Amino acid sequence: MKKHNKSLLCSLLGSALLPGIPQTTLADETAANEFNFDEYVITANRIPVKKSEVAANVTVINREEIEKTNPTSVSEILKKENVNVESTSFGSVAKLNGDDRVLVLVDGHRIGWDYLIISENSHTSVNLDQLPVKNIERIEIIKGAASSLYGSDAVGGVINIITRKADTSSTSVSSEFGSWNFQHYSLVTQGKQGNISYFITAEKKKQDNNDYKDPETGTTKELPATHFDQQLVNVRVDKALNTDSSLSFEFGHMDATTGFSSALTSPGVVTYPNGYIDSADNNVALSYHWGQAAGLDNSIRVYHNTTEGTDYNAFLNYTYELAATGLDWQQSWKLANNQTLVGGAEWKESSLNDKASMDRSYSTSAFYLENRWQLPKNWTLTAGSRYDDHSIVGGHTSSRLSLNRQVNEKTNVYASVGQYVRNPQLAELFSNTIYWKGNPNLKPETGNTVTLGINTELEKNTKLQASIFRLVVK
């Protein structure tokens, strides 16, 4: 299998480096004046591709659909689109293809930590309840392993939250109230002046402890440590340099106090009756984009993220500090009228100090290539590979091959074979507390996947998506 991976990777590299091939941007199919993002998906191939040409089970939730329901959390948005969301006392995570190892992206970039545990299966993820909702333009959900493009953790699939840019000048304020003294306040302000635009959101959400009905007595009781109090601020500033390129600055802040009761051991009694978590996130990023005149989003992005928090319970206070600094590059090339190559590289350095047993850091670097051919009779063939190097657990290659047939404008059938990888978490490697005992000799989990599926629209607002898949752990 390793030999096959290397051969595929070399063939992809060779096609990118053939002399005499002009490296022009994709202008015919994705010209800006022809673009309608309701018909295109970015996440599946890292470039805009018609939904009917994507070899995957794809769901797109646009801003109009989101605003109709006036949601207060990302998990609420996903549930209304029939996405399986698992909620625990630590937060909410999505399950795709029955797997909670789902990679969550914001504007195509990963935001989770490979240490904070949210799901009951000890898999790392992102607490969907701690993400802002007022700045969302659309959400793309891709089911199936995607390690060949996104690396570790994209086992069940990928959720990409695409944020809004200012399209007018306006300010709005809203408030909502509900059960258990639920309160949600939000401010959204946006504006444009010359070649500069800004989009700013601020949200505050709080709620007291939940109530539940005792199954033995039928009386209503309070469930301890289920309260939360959360503040979020997000700022996006864009500057158009010309018709083809721009700069983007993004800043996000979140601080929250959230109760965690763990489990109801008997009526009115929970494992940690006074348990709660204090946490604060700060994320900042600067991106340069080009190729926009052709409907592309070639980019270079530098970012720095920090998280600090303390878990309080009846037995122990547990404090952690995390930081990540990284650089991402992505670009696409039109190699022929029917062939497009997407490539990129990523570097990240992460550190963790849990104030108890770990003060560790590691770095990861990766590069990826994916070739896409448009064949006769509406067939599309895609082949891609990605190599990741982790400074602790070593390097690994993931590849994918997919074939799609667009039957008509509303129907496509597809088949895909690929590989996935999941690196061990820092806690699994090095922790030495009463909760965790690490094993520094752990290796990445790898496996193969096969998927067959169909997407179709039977009539207006009636869609059918069906797929079967097989996942084999090596």
Side-chain angles (χ1 to χ4, degrees):
M1 186 62 67
K2 290 183 179 178
K3 193 172 184 180
H4 170 72
N5 290 343
K6 290 180 180 178
S7 299
L8 179 56
L9 190 61
C10 289
S11 68
L12 289 166
L13 282 168
S15 66
L17 300 176
L18 285 174
I21 295 179
Q23 296 188 353
T24 58
T25 55
L26 180 62
D28 51 356
E29 180 184 345
T30 56
N33 59 358
E34 299 177 7
F35 236 55
N36 179 356
F37 271 109
D38 288 339
E39 302 174 357
Y40 285 78
V41 177
I42 299 172
T43 311
N45 301 93
R46 283 188 178 264
I47 57 172
V49 175
K50 279 187 177 181
K51 285 194 287 187
S52 58
E53 296 179 0
V54 175
N57 186 313
V58 177
T59 300
V60 177
I61 312 170
N62 59 39
R63 192 207 313 179
E64 181 181 1
E65 294 171 314
I66 294 171
E67 291 179 343
K68 281 181 181 178
T69 60
N70 198 25
T72 60
S73 67
V74 173
S75 62
E76 185 180 337
I77 298 172
L78 298 180
K79 288 177 182 177
K80 289 179 179 178
E81 291 296 323
N82 297 317
V83 176
N84 187 8
V85 176
E86 175 188 84
S87 295
T88 71
S89 56
F90 292 95
S92 297
V93 298
K95 280 188 173 183
L96 300 178
N97 282 353
D99 200 318
D100 60 8
R101 292 171 295 179
V102 174
L103 181 62
V104 179
L105 310 172
V106 172
D107 292 326
H109 303 283
R110 66 171 62 221
I111 59 172
W113 299 95
D114 69 343
Y115 174 68
L116 298 181
I117 307 302
I118 304 298
S119 76
E120 292 179 340
N121 294 324
S122 296
H123 296 147
T124 58
S125 190
V126 174
N127 183 359
L128 300 172
D129 295 332
Q130 291 189 340
L131 299 176
V133 297
K134 294 298 183 180
N135 65 339
I136 297 176
E137 177 66 32
R138 57 195 265 128
I139 299 177
E140 297 183 354
I141 303 164
I142 313 297
K143 291 184 178 180
S147 291
S148 64
L149 275 179
Y150 294 102
S152 180
D153 305 321
V155 182
V158 179
I159 296 175
N160 187 14
I161 301 170
I162 299 170
T163 61
R164 295 173 61 179
K165 293 176 62 176
D167 52 18
T168 186
S169 294
S170 65
T171 299
S172 63
V173 178
S174 65
S175 60
E176 301 169 70
F177 305 91
S179 302
W180 306 306
N181 195 30
F182 173 79
Q183 302 170 47
H184 181 209
Y185 307 94
S186 65
L187 166 70
V188 178
T189 183
Q190 59 177 317
K192 300 180 70 174
Q193 184 171 2
N195 59 1
I196 297 177
S197 64
Y198 63 87
F199 196 98
I200 302 171
T201 65
E203 297 180 61
K204 179 177 177 62
K205 296 185 288 186
K206 63 181 300 185
Q207 180 179 290
D208 296 340
N209 289 333
N210 299 340
D211 293 333
Y212 73 100
K213 183 168 287 189
D214 189 328
E216 296 180 358
T217 65
T219 58
T220 300
K221 295 185 178 181
E222 181 179 292
L223 185 62
T226 54
H227 61 280
F228 61 83
D229 189 350
Q230 181 185 76
Q231 292 75 229
L232 304 103
V233 176
N234 285 268
V235 178
R236 174 170 177 167
V237 179
D238 294 279
K239 177 179 174 61
L241 302 177
N242 50 51
T243 58
D244 191 62
S245 61
S246 64
L247 288 172
S248 296
F249 170 80
E250 298 162 275
F251 170 76
H253 170 79
M254 186 281 300
D255 66 81
T257 298
T258 306
F260 72 92
S261 55
S262 188
L264 190 66
T265 57
S266 61
V269 180
V270 295
T271 308
Y272 306 118
N274 298 311
Y276 66 97
I277 302 172
D278 277 340
S279 60
D281 295 349
N282 288 289
N283 307 309
V284 61
L286 180 65
S287 305
Y288 170 66
H289 307 264
W290 72 97
Q292 295 172 327
L296 300 177
D297 191 12
N298 302 326
S299 63
I300 296 177
R301 178 178 183 265
V302 60
Y303 62 91
H304 181 69
N305 303 332
T306 62
T307 290
E308 59 183 31
T310 301
D311 298 0
Y312 299 92
N313 59 55
F315 306 105
L316 180 70
N317 296 340
Y318 187 72
T319 298
Y320 51 85
E321 294 178 355
L322 304 103
T325 301
L327 176 68
D328 298 340
W329 161 69
Q330 177 182 309
Q331 192 164 350
S332 57
W333 300 266
K334 178 87 168 170
L335 302 183
N337 288 335
N338 67 335
Q339 183 183 6
T340 304
L341 179 72
V342 178
E346 300 172 2
W347 172 85
K348 182 177 73 169
E349 181 164 337
S350 302
S351 63
L352 161 68
N353 184 352
D354 69 358
K355 307 295 185 180
S357 64
M358 279 186 293
D359 187 3
R360 306 282 306 205
S361 64
Y362 70 94
S363 62
T364 57
S365 56
F367 68 90
Y368 57 88
L369 288 168
E370 183 170 272
N371 235 323
R372 183 172 178 270
W373 294 270
Q374 290 180 299
L375 306 176
K377 297 184 178 180
N378 296 324
W379 287 93
T380 304
L381 177 66
T382 302
S385 283
R386 175 180 171 119
Y387 177 77
D388 286 87
D389 182 69
H390 191 292
S391 62
I392 296 175
V393 301
H396 45 262
T397 302
S398 305
S399 300
R400 177 177 65 173
L401 182 68
S402 62
L403 184 65
N404 182 81
R405 172 83 196 288
Q406 180 181 339
V407 179
N408 53 51
E409 287 296 323
K410 297 181 179 181
T411 304
N412 68 298
V413 293
Y414 60 89
S416 177
V417 295
Q419 300 163 314
Y420 78 87
V421 63
R422 174 186 173 267
N423 290 324
Q425 308 155 18
L426 282 173
E428 293 173 322
L429 290 167
F430 303 115
S431 184
N432 185 26
T433 70
I434 63 173
Y435 301 108
W436 289 90
K437 296 296 180 183
N439 178 1
N441 297 316
L442 288 176
K443 300 299 181 183
E445 175 191 328
T446 59
N448 300 322
T449 63
V450 179
T451 305
L452 302 173
I454 180 172
N455 301 311
T456 188
E457 185 173 339
L458 303 177
E459 57 185 53
K460 188 175 181 180
N461 298 324
T462 302
K463 298 179 181 179
L464 172 66
Q465 295 178 300
S467 61
I468 57 174
F469 66 93
R470 177 178 172 83
L471 186 149
V472 179
V473 180
K474 291 183 180 179

